[in-house]
């Protein structure tokens, strides 16, 4: 069902669904849930605009968090940041925002723009610029279409405010990441603000609605007793990659990112098999018994084996029993430009991109 308004009751559903689509990244969904719920309670439900209803006269501003998810869990943003980051960008552009949009569909970064819309009274667009979450600022569909970030505003909880005008997406990432570190490892950011014509061309539609539907499925009590990975297969056209227990986890804060590696031992039908995950804010590479199982830009999600709830990269724990699923990314990411921007080679992984649907054929795991 397509969203028309986001109420308090929708927030947890969006958080859960976005954490699945966010492949373990995009910020902590619990923090985003608390902020969005409180601001909706104070200011009322957030109106939602379909991407197709955005007009050429609209000026849409994506708002979100940048930094390491493991830092953002402890360094909670101040709600004043949501207004400050928007006003700074509006002043630079000489235009007033008519709508807010998520820059990505990730746990926290799907709800921070909802909170911004609530506190400013603006509608939110049911779309984003990734269809998932990615760790770097240039990894957006605007960049794939040849559009730069324009002005980028960043603020932190101390009241620091910085405005940059990067020449392209790569420079936006370098400047923003360098600023994020002295800002404490995370900051609120707005960039890729465009008129309606460009937003309609670039954004991936109905991703907030999709996240809400996934979350509603996970919270549906009638689904009790059904394997949580199976529960999502039809909804997501997903593939079950592995069932196992985490037996080793290495995680560090490095260069403004949460980076790490997890090793799993198989359970159930996957007993005696081994699985490895590599992440940089998001899950990016999955290997089964040394063979490629899934890789960016396709989606890799880790679910608690009992509840089916998604597990983020900062909450992976030794001993956790999980199901791992894989999903095809949006077709924009499978283009030459998409793979150059967010494919395995960009992250230094020594594998070629192979679509998840090919990797998951039974004969490849025979």
């Amino acid at each position: 069902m397509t969203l028309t308004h986001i109420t308090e009751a929708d927030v947890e559903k969006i958080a859960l669904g976005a954490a699945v689509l966010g492949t373990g990244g995009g910020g902590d969904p619990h923090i985003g849930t608390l902020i969005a719920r409180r601001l909706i309670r104070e200011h009322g439900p957030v109106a939602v605009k379909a991407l197709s209803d955005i007009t050429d006269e609209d000026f849409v501003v994506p708002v979100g968090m940048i930094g390491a998810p493991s830092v953002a869990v402890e360094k909670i943003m101040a709600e004043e940041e949501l207004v400050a980051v928007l006003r700074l960008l509006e002043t630079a552009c000489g235009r007033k925002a008519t709508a807010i949009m998520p820059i990505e569909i990730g746990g926290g970064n799907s709800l921070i723009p909802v909170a911004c819309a609530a506190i400013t009274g603006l509608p939110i667009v049911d779309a984003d610029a990734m269809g998932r979450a990615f760790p770097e600022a240039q990894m957006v569909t605007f960049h794939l279409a040849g559009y730069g970030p324009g002005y980028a505003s960043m603020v932190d909880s101390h009241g620091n405010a910085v405005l940059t005008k990067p020449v392209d997406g790569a420079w936006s990432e370098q400047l923003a990441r360098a600023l994020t570190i002295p800002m404490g490892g995370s900051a609120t950011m707005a960039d890729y603000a465009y008129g309606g014509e460009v937003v309609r061309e670039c954004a991936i539609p109905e991703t907030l609605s999709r996240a809400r539907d996934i979350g509603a499925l996970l919270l549906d009590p009638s689904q009790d007793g059904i394997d949580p990975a199976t529960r999502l297969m039809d909804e997501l056209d997903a593939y079950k990659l592995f069932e196992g227990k985490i037996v080793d986890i290495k995680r560090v804060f490095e260069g403004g990112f949460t980076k790490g590696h997890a090793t799993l031992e198989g359970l159930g039908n996957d007993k005696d098999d081994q699985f490895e995950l590599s992440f940089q804010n998001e899950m990016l590479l999955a290997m089964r018994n040394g063979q490629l199982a899934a890789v960016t830009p396709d989606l890799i999600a880790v679910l608690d084996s009992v509840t089916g709830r998604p597990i983020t990269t900062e909450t992976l724990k030794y001993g956790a029993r999980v199901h791992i699923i894989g999903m095809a990314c949006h077709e924009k990411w499978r283009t030459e430009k998409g793979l150059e921007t967010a494919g395995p080679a960009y992250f230094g992984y020594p594998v070629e991109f192979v679509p998840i649907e090919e990797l998951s054929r039974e004969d490849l795991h025979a």
Side-chain angles (χ1 to χ4, degrees):
M1 184 183 297
T2 302
L3 283 165
T4 58
H5 288 81
I6 295 174
T7 66
E8 278 192 74
D10 294 313
V11 170
E12 183 181 7
K13 297 171 187 174
I14 292 172
L16 283 174
V20 173
L21 296 175
T23 66
D28 182 76
H30 179 63
I31 301 299
T33 296
L34 294 177
I35 296 171
R37 270 182 169 169
R38 180 170 58 80
L39 291 177
I40 289 173
R41 190 178 308 124
E42 292 180 7
H43 301 280
V46 172
V48 179
K49 293 189 74 170
L51 183 61
S52 58
D53 290 337
I54 297 298
T55 69
D56 292 355
E57 289 69 39
D58 277 309
F59 184 54
V60 181
V61 180
V63 175
M65 299 291 291
I66 183 171
S70 56
V71 172
V73 172
E74 298 183 12
K75 180 179 174 288
I76 310 301
M77 68 174 298
E79 66 180 52
E80 291 80 10
E81 295 177 47
L82 297 168
V83 177
V85 76
L86 180 63
R87 299 299 178 235
L88 181 58
L89 191 75
E90 288 177 329
T91 299
C93 294
R95 297 184 69 177
K96 284 287 187 182
T98 62
I100 303 299
M101 188 179 88
I103 194 67
E104 64 182 359
I105 291 297
N109 264 347
S110 294
L111 295 171
I112 295 305
V114 172
C116 182
I119 199 171
T120 60
L122 292 170
I124 191 166
V125 182
D126 189 3
D128 80 301
M130 297 184 195
R132 51 161 295 160
F134 277 122
E136 298 190 10
Q138 79 279 13
M139 295 175 178
V140 291
T141 50
F142 293 102
H143 176 75
L144 301 187
Y147 295 100
Y151 285 103
S153 59
M154 294 176 63
V155 302
D156 67 13
S157 56
H158 300 291
N160 294 308
V162 180
L163 182 72
T164 62
K165 197 173 189 299
V167 297
D168 58 25
W171 269 104
S172 178
E173 167 62 24
Q174 290 188 58
L175 294 172
R177 197 65 54 179
L179 288 164
T180 299
I181 295 172
M183 283 180 158
S186 67
T188 305
M189 184 173 180
D191 58 354
Y192 289 95
Y194 277 101
E197 184 177 5
V198 172
V199 174
R200 291 196 309 274
E201 174 191 351
C202 297
I204 298 174
E206 298 187 354
T207 48
L208 281 172
S209 289
R210 189 182 188 206
R212 190 276 316 274
D213 291 345
I214 294 167
L217 184 64
L218 288 174
L219 292 170
D220 183 356
S222 69
Q223 300 290 325
D224 285 351
I226 301 175
D227 178 277
T230 302
R231 199 182 305 173
L232 294 177
M233 291 297 116
D234 292 337
E235 180 70 26
L236 296 173
D237 292 326
Y239 301 87
K240 188 173 179 180
L241 302 180
F242 198 71
E243 177 184 357
K245 180 175 69 173
I246 298 175
V247 296
D248 186 58
I249 176 76
K250 295 181 174 66
R251 182 170 44 227
V252 297
F253 172 61
E254 180 182 297
F257 300 101
T258 297
K259 295 183 179 181
H261 180 87
T263 303
L264 298 87
E265 290 182 352
L267 298 171
N269 292 334
D270 296 316
K271 187 178 179 181
D272 300 326
D273 287 344
Q274 188 175 77
F275 204 83
E276 297 181 346
L277 288 168
S278 297
F279 54 87
Q280 178 178 314
N281 286 10
E282 285 76 34
M283 309 291 179
L284 299 175
L285 175 67
M287 304 288 288
R288 181 187 180 113
N289 298 329
Q291 300 296 313
L292 182 64
V295 68
T296 179
D298 281 343
L299 286 67
I300 304 163
V302 181
L303 310 175
D304 182 275
S305 63
V306 176
T307 66
R309 292 186 174 229
I311 299 174
T312 58
T313 53
E314 70 271 15
T315 57
L316 287 170
K317 294 180 180 179
Y318 175 84
R321 293 171 181 256
V322 300
H323 292 236
I324 300 173
I325 64 173
M327 298 156 276
C329 61
H330 191 277
E331 60 187 15
K332 290 176 184 282
W333 293 108
R334 291 186 174 183
T335 63
E336 182 178 352
K337 182 71 170 178
L339 292 174
E340 174 189 316
T341 301
Y346 179 84
F347 294 99
Y349 297 133
V351 298
E352 296 290 330
F353 173 73
V354 181
I356 185 73
E357 56 269 29
E358 294 183 25
L359 290 169
S360 296
R361 291 204 315 262
E362 288 186 4
D363 60 330
L364 290 184
H365 292 307

